[in-house]
Every structure is written in C-alpha cells, then in structure tokens.
Amino acid sequence: MVLARLSLVIAFSQSVYAWSVLPKEAPAPKENPTTPSKVELGKILYFDPRLSIDGTVSCNSCHNVMSNGGDGRPVSVGVKGQRGGRGAPTVWNSGFNTVQFWDGRAASLEDQAKGPLTNPIEMGMTDHALVVERIKMIPGYVELFTKAFGKNDPVTIDNAAKAMAAFERTLVTPNSAFDKFKKGNKKALSDAAKRGMKSVEEIGCTACHSGVNFNGEGLAMGEGNYQKFPQNPGTAYDKKYKFSEDLGRFQVTKNVEDKNMWRVPTWRNVALTAPYFHNGTVQNLDEAVRVMGKTQLDVDLTETQVQDIVAFLNSLTGEFPKMIMPRLPETPGTTLTPNP
Amino acid sequence: MVLARLSLVIAFSQSVYAWSVLPKEAPAPKENPTTPSKVELGKILYFDPRLSIDGTVSCNSCHNVMSNGGDGRPVSVGVKGQRGGRGAPTVWNSGFNTVQFWDGRAASLEDQAKGPLTNPIEMGMTDHALVVERIKMIPGYVELFTKAFGKNDPVTIDNAAKAMAAFERTLVTPNSAFDKFKKGNKKALSDAAKRGMKSVEEIGCTACHSGVNFNGEGLAMGEGNYQKFPQNPGTAYDKKYKFSEDLGRFQVTKNVEDKNMWRVPTWRNVALTAPYFHNGTVQNLDEAVRVMGKTQLDVDLTETQVQDIVAFLNSLTGEFPKMIMPRLPETPGTTLTPNP
C-alpha cells in the first residue's frame, strides 16, 4: 500500500508516462487462467436471462457489450422493474480494474460476478444454490461446464463465476487514438486532445487517473485506488447532483474514514458511458469535467479547458471487437421460468 | 378466403405433402425488398433498448434470437416490470406467417414491428414521433438509414419497421430433421417421429398445421388462418389452464364470431418455445399435445401417441444460424435515457 501510494505521487509528476497502451487481454489470476472453453461458457452465461429469478435479466441487460458495456441509464433496472441506487459500471476493460463495483467491494471479477445474481433488486435469485440448480437443468450447460472444468462436479457457482470472469477479461477495446499516439503515431491525437492531455496533467487529474485503465497505477489485483468524492463537499455541484447522499465505501466497511470514498473509475471509453458518477445524475461529459475540476481539485475550468479535456477523453474510445452472438442452450419440451 | 378454406380441406386429406421444406429466407413484399443494408440496420434496431421509453427493453428482450425467439415465460415483461397478458411468439421463421401477433392483428412484419414500441406495457414510447426523434439523435443511425433508404427523409417510423422486418425475414432455421426427411433422407426421422407424423395426420392436426410453417397453407400474406381455441370449451383442461378467459381476435374485431379465435401458431421449433398457448399456462410440450387432442379434436390421446407426436415435433427443431453481434451506434458525451 505504501508502494502504491508512492507510485501515485510519482504518477502526479510524470503522468503521461504513467499511462500505458491497452494490452489485448486482461491479466488472469493464477487460480483462473483464461481458456477458450471458459470464455465460450462465460459468454453464454453472461447473456442468459434464465440466471435471473423470472428469466428477464441477464448480465448483459445492464452491462451491454453491444454498446458501452453499461446501460446508459442513471441507475440500472433489475427484475420486477426495481431500480438500484447506482449506475452500471462498464464491463469493457473491467479486467484491468484492481477491484470491482463502485465501492470496490469485490476483489476480483470472479467475486463480482456472483453479486448481482442474488441481489434481490438485480437478478433476484434466492441463493446461489438455485442458480446452480437451474444451470444443472440445462443439458447443454452441463456439457459446457464439463468441457471447461472437467468431469468432477463441474457445475458450481465458483466455476460459473470463473467462466464469466474469463469471458469478461476478453472484453478489451484496444487501439484508441490515445493508444495509437502512445505507440508513436503523433498524428493520432487532434490538437485539442493534445491540449486536453496536457491540461489533465497540469490540473492534477492524473494523480488518480493513471495507469493502463486510467484509474490507478501500480496496484495489485484486489488492492483498491479509493478517493473521496466529492473531495470538496457542499459545492453547488454537490447540492445539485446529490453526490454526497450515497456514502460509498462506508456502506461496505462501516469505517468512518470510508465515508464518500469510491473506487476511481476508468477513463477508457468514458465518452460513451454517460450518464456520469455513481448516481448517474450528470447527463453530459462536459459537465462531468466541470464537476470534477471543482469538486475534486477546486479548479474552475475555462470553457476551452473543458472542451480540450473532452476532446482528450474522446481519444480514449477504443475499438470494440466483432463478436459472434452466443446461442443459449435449450431445454426441449419445457421451460425453466414458467411462473410469474 | 373460399380458396384458402378449400386448401385447408385438401390439406386435411394429404397433409404430409402439404408440409414443405423451409426456404433459406422468408419472402419479402414488393414494397420492401430485403437488402443487406436494411438487414444490417434492422438487426441493430432490433437489439437497441433505447427504442423503449427508459432504455431497458429491446425487441430482443422478449423475442430473444440467442435462444428460441421468445422469452420462455408465460407472458412477457415490458418497461417498469409490467406484465402483458400473452406470451411472446417466436420471431424465428415469423416471416413465413401470413399474419402476426396471437390474434393476427398485424398483416405484415412491418405492421407488427410498430406495435410494441408504443404499447405502454411493452416498450412504452409515447408515440412513434418520439421513436423517430430519438433515432435521429444518434448519428450512426442517420447514416445507416441513409444507406438503406436514401437521402430523402430516411429516418421514419415506416422505414424503421421496414428495416426490422427485413432483418426478421432472415431469421430462418433450416435443416430440421423433418426438412432433411422431406428432402429424401429417410433416416433423418426416428421411428417414433415417423409414427408421430402419421398420428398428427390421422387425428386431424394437419387440418390447421399445414404449409411451410405448419400454420396454414395457400394463404396470401395478410390473410389469416384463424381457429377457435378451445374448440371444445369447458373441458377440464380449459378450466385448469384458463384458455377461454382471453377472447382472442374478438378483442380486435369485436365480431362475435371472432370470440376465442386465434392465429394458428407454427410447429417449427415448438419443442423450444415452452411454455405453451396464448397465456403460457402449459409448461410442457407433452401436456400441450394432450390439451390439443382433447380441446380441439375431442381425442383422448394414448401416452404412446403423445410421446410419438412429441418426437415428431422435436424433429421440427431447425438449425440456428451463427450471427455477428450488432454494435449499437453511440452518442459520445451524452445519453438519451437520462431520466428514470
């Protein structure tokens, strides 16, 4: 942690160099090496609404890989039309985050994947045993789990989570204009984007928004880069957008020092992931930039600075890979979600 | 209509010959020839939840092309968790239906596509003007509409419907065991399936379940093959499964003779489209077969007959084509569904 803090200080002084080109695939933990059969299975599970209690909500419902990896809404909608309190973070490049969820309460993608399944306002399964039971009723899944995890009790909630995490680690958007620039193509960024890049360094955004995913550098998996938001509470922005109402990481740890602490979110594809902040109250990126200047660094950005920074943030939109649509395995002659 | 009735009578006497091999693509109307650019656009629209009022429901939410083309539920769930009164008919091979919806109230796929968008309990858009307005706010769509329909006011609700219909006409599942059998491979059907095929002819199911999509033969597009269901009301099945409660086509026409009249549904992929009937009250295919025997033809099927017919119906499961996942065009820096 001391080392991590140190690297953030260094990042502050030489931020451009602390940003890295996005690798093709996110790193996998030793316990769950990425394999084609896990990725294939995880992709199917990810799109399967039968993993929700009434068969209406899949992972993809709120983390849509056909678009920005979120849902474009302030807060997400789960089973029975229930709304949560926070927006859906993008799944794209989430394998580069060292912790997951807005409050970092999951130390890995594997941990994260298990949460929404049994959250009563998300996918609403009563418990993980029900998830496993339902999966086991689908013959095609038993085959796919066996292929991915072997014959010894392959269908478990942990293996389901491993497969989904393996799939998510392939959700990477390389070759943004910034990445091309970083690799040496100096024409890849517009002049405005270059000015914006300089601005975020000078203003100090890069103290937190550093590293390969622009959300922290030099952290081990499971180690979070948490920051207070808003750093300066009580501003007009804070009041208007109700940022302080949600106490963030405090709700997980109950430690007073975690009040209003949040995992630093990525900048990659941020131009596509409106609306902004944990409660999605800010509709537009330019306003999000103004908010960040004021609430975090007490800077009133000029309109030119705002537009330049927006141009730079747009340069972080990557290329979304072509994907084959999964086919969900069937249960001929019956359905698993017969009841309302 | 007289001719259509006549062909049904003929079908009754030579039903096997009245079933045809499924063509590769559904026929398109003169006003809307299928083109690659329409199919491409229609596919994207089909998967776009921004066509619903709060950005949560796409066509694919209830008519899932990653699985059976429906949603596996008794009745579907629209925006705000609202439940409808009928199940989602499969979109697969729907281009071969001569009318659409359970009650046949749309004469074409183009007509059908416009319905759910503004149904308050489905996608919930206030009117078609709002759909068009929202599409026009997405630059990538304006390009795609221009490519598909030319530069002269391309973004209209009729063109959106044409594109979606063009995409749906490509959703065809060829090469079922039955189709292989029909093309001359006599080993493609199991003995049970062959017995079942004979049974449905002898019992009289084929009076209605004839033609390329097993739901009527010799009908022009727009002309419906309607049948009363239950034909024999008041049976134990009728009471148990509440079939008669929904008056079907009567709700559209208000003609007394249309009470409990329904469009004959397809048999293709029927093994995958549980639960069964307009209200989805029957969970399993074998029970659906028993119900049909009793309520429509007043026949108490033996268990062997039921299992043989189920084997035959399973032989009508086709091959689902591999598809590339669409990418939804973006609105950089903002979202179109900011409000709850």
Side-chain angles (χ1 to χ4, degrees), chain B residues 216-255:
Chain B
E217 202 212 354
L219 300 168
M221 280 290 161
E223 191 176 31
N225 174 19
Y226 301 108
Q227 298 294 331
K228 197 173 172 200
F229 176 81
Q231 184 70 45
N232 308 317
T235 62
Y237 286 132
D238 185 15
K239 284 173 191 156
K240 181 173 180 188
Y241 297 120
K242 303 176 184 175
F243 297 134
S244 290
E245 285 183 9
D246 186 333
L247 296 180
R249 191 160 166 75
F250 171 79
Q251 294 188 33
V252 182
T253 66
K254 306 296 176 194
N255 294 333

Side-chain angles (χ1 to χ4, degrees), chain B residues 111-182:
Chain B
D111 278 359
Q112 190 282 328
K114 288 187 259 182
L117 293 165
T118 52
N119 186 325
I121 63 169
E122 298 188 19
M123 299 171 82
M125 296 295 262
T126 45
D127 52 34
H128 285 144
L130 179 60
V131 179
V132 170
E133 185 189 317
R134 200 176 279 181
I135 292 174
K136 282 184 175 172
M137 292 173 81
I138 304 169
Y141 269 133
V142 177
E143 271 179 49
L144 288 162
F145 272 82
T146 304
K147 198 173 152 199
F149 297 103
K151 290 183 180 174
N152 184 19
D153 191 22
V155 186
T156 65
I157 194 66
D158 285 337
N159 283 346
K162 280 183 177 179
M164 288 191 271
F167 167 61
E168 288 166 352
R169 290 194 177 96
T170 69
L171 298 176
V172 176
T173 63
N175 299 325
S176 69
F178 166 80
D179 288 303
K180 288 175 186 164
F181 175 84
K182 184 80 181 164

Side-chain angles (χ1 to χ4, degrees), chain B residues 16 32 35 89-90 104 112 188 191 211 213 250 309 321 334:
Chain B
V16 172
N32 188 26
T35 65
T90 182
Q112 190 282 328
D191 288 344
N213 214 12
F250 171 79
I309 293 172
T334 192

Side-chain angles (χ1 to χ4, degrees), chain A residues 43 47 49 54-56 60-61 64-69 71-74 77 80-81 83 92 167 270-272 274-276 280 283-286 314 320-340, chain B residues 43 47 49 54-56 60-61 64-69 71-74 77 80-81 83 92 167 270-272 274-276 280 283-286 314 320-340:
Chain A
K43 182 181 178 181
F47 280 92
D54 62 0
T56 60
N60 195 67
S61 298
N64 193 344
V65 300
M66 296 182 203
S67 66
N68 57 16
D71 59 9
R73 292 177 38 85
V77 175
K80 296 170 193 161
R83 272 190 269 146
W92 287 104
F167 167 60
V270 69
L272 307 186
Y276 297 102
Q283 186 179 352
N284 297 321
L285 184 56
D286 54 352
N314 267 282
F320 292 83
K322 263 197 186 175
M323 298 172 74
I324 300 285
M325 219 181 274
R327 277 220 64 74
L328 309 185
E330 307 281 359
T331 53
T334 192
T335 179
L336 303 186
T337 51
N339 298 314
Chain B
K43 182 181 177 182
F47 281 91
D54 62 0
T56 61
N60 194 67
S61 298
N64 193 342
V65 300
M66 296 183 202
S67 66
N68 57 16
D71 59 10
R73 292 177 39 83
V77 175
K80 297 171 194 163
R83 272 190 269 144
W92 287 103
F167 167 61
V270 69
L272 307 186
Y276 298 101
Q283 187 181 351
N284 297 320
L285 184 56
D286 54 352
N314 268 281
F320 293 82
K322 264 198 186 174
M323 298 173 73
I324 299 287
M325 218 181 275
R327 278 220 65 75
L328 309 184
E330 308 280 0
T331 51
T334 192
T335 179
L336 302 186
T337 52
N339 297 314

Side-chain angles (χ1 to χ4, degrees), chain B residues 15 42 49 55 94 98-99 104 109 136 171 178 208 230 233 290 310 327 331:
Chain B
S15 62
S94 61
T98 54
V99 293
L109 285 173
K136 282 184 175 172
L171 298 176
F178 166 80
C208 301
R290 277 179 219 111
V310 165
R327 278 220 65 75
T331 51

